[in-house]
Amino acid sequence: MSERAAAAQDYESALNRETDRLAEFEDHRTGLIHKIQHALHQTPSLVPLVVLLLSIAIFGILLGAKFFSPFALTLILQQVQIVGILAAAQSLVILTAGIDLSVGAIMVLSSVVMGQVTFRYGLPPAIAVLAGLLVGTAIGAVNGWLVARVKLPPFIVTLGMWQIVLAANFLYSRNETIRAQDIEAAAPLLQIFGAKFQIGGAVFTVGVVFMVALVALLAYALRQTAWGRHVYAVGDDIEAAQLSGVQVNRVLMSVYMLSGLICAFAGWALIGRIGSVSPTSGQLGNIESITAVVIGGISLFGGRGSILGTLFGALIVGVFTLGLRLLGADAQWTYLLIGVLIIGAVAVDQWIRKVTV
């Protein structure tokens, strides 16, 4: 055999080996694990939905009809309505690769403004509600301006704003609580989110309906409008979004303002939930909202996730809380399991981000 023929044969053998190696790689890419990874990448809310259904099934087996009663299941919705509304606001910010540590404080201050404008200044409840909504939106606008225009990190901005709003809340309210009886007698509009209605054995509140409607509206806006696509683009890669013509500063301003407005609505719903206006209520709202968002499958790195997953995340927390309470377990087990879910959700998110399309 000539040298040229031998070289050609060696080249052909090497080419065959490389082809076999690439074929094995393609087979790996199209394997079951890759398909699952790709499906979760395309539908991030799938993981929290599965966890939610499994947790309902497990507690249903352990507790039987007591857990599956319409009253118990709708009680979960009532318990998570405030967290669900706050988490919707938090989701918008995290989708842009930011974070808002001030959502709980904005909620409480907005509720305090609604109460004080009515009872301290004697203005109609409708004006008080409008004032509270404007305050929440204004605080969100300041957050957005500092992040978008001044280019400060969202974590630092909202951490500072949390402290500022918390202090303003106590200074303005003089640490006074407006009693439920006084609100019911003089300004029932402030308690409207707590109004209940019954369908069969299920008991719903206006706050629950608002939470579900808000999630549906935001889900549509994020998936079906140019604004929603720009929110995802900013969170995925802010420089690429800017180069493609997205008005990044305008998007960030709109997100933080809308977040502040939603937090103010959460403050209104908080009055309906607890009946009174208290400057000390809802102080853990920021942590609870982040928990729901993370468990719900929205990536902390931004650009991926579903507002529907956030609702599932809030419901998972509600299911664990009620289920363990009915089982008579120590409340610390709830925090332990939720902590495990948070770490697991972040680990799954990291795994999903490695998907190759």
Side-chain angles (χ1 to χ4, degrees), residues 283-335:
Q283 298 299 335
L284 295 177
N286 52 350
I287 300 301
E288 293 173 342
S289 66
I290 295 171
T291 298
V293 171
V294 172
I295 295 177
I298 291 184
S299 175
L300 288 173
F301 299 96
R304 198 185 74 254
S306 165
I307 196 78
L308 190 60
T310 294
L311 177 60
F312 295 152
L315 290 173
I316 289 169
V317 175
V319 168
F320 272 88
T321 302
L322 180 63
L324 291 172
R325 186 181 303 167
L326 291 176
L327 286 172
D330 191 298
Q332 300 308 318
W333 281 102
T334 304
Y335 297 113

Side-chain angles (χ1 to χ4, degrees), residues 235-271:
D236 187 48
D237 190 330
I238 191 169
E239 293 181 359
Q242 202 158 17
L243 290 173
S244 63
V246 175
Q247 298 293 324
V248 171
N249 290 344
R250 189 174 298 176
V251 170
L252 288 173
M253 281 292 297
S254 68
V255 164
Y256 281 92
M257 289 178 68
L258 182 56
S259 173
L261 176 61
I262 294 172
C263 290
F265 271 107
W268 190 5
L270 181 65
I271 300 175

Side-chain angles (χ1 to χ4, degrees), residues 13 111 169 220 290:
S13 299
S111 70
N169 167 41
Y220 174 81
I290 295 171

Side-chain angles (χ1 to χ4, degrees), residues 83-113:
V83 175
I85 296 170
L86 273 185
Q90 188 73 256
S91 297
L92 295 176
V93 177
I94 291 180
L95 281 172
T96 63
I99 195 166
D100 193 344
L101 298 177
S102 64
V103 291
I106 295 173
M107 172 185 71
V108 178
L109 180 60
S110 299
S111 70
V112 166
V113 168

Side-chain angles (χ1 to χ4, degrees), residues 78 81-82 85 183 188-197 203-210 265-276:
Q78 292 180 41
Q81 61 183 313
I82 305 300
I85 296 170
I183 297 176
L189 177 64
L190 298 183
Q191 296 178 332
I192 189 65
F193 278 84
K196 296 181 179 180
F197 60 95
V203 180
F204 298 92
T205 65
V206 174
V208 169
V209 175
F210 177 81
F265 271 107
W268 190 5
L270 181 65
I271 300 175
R273 176 65 181 161
I274 66 177
S276 61

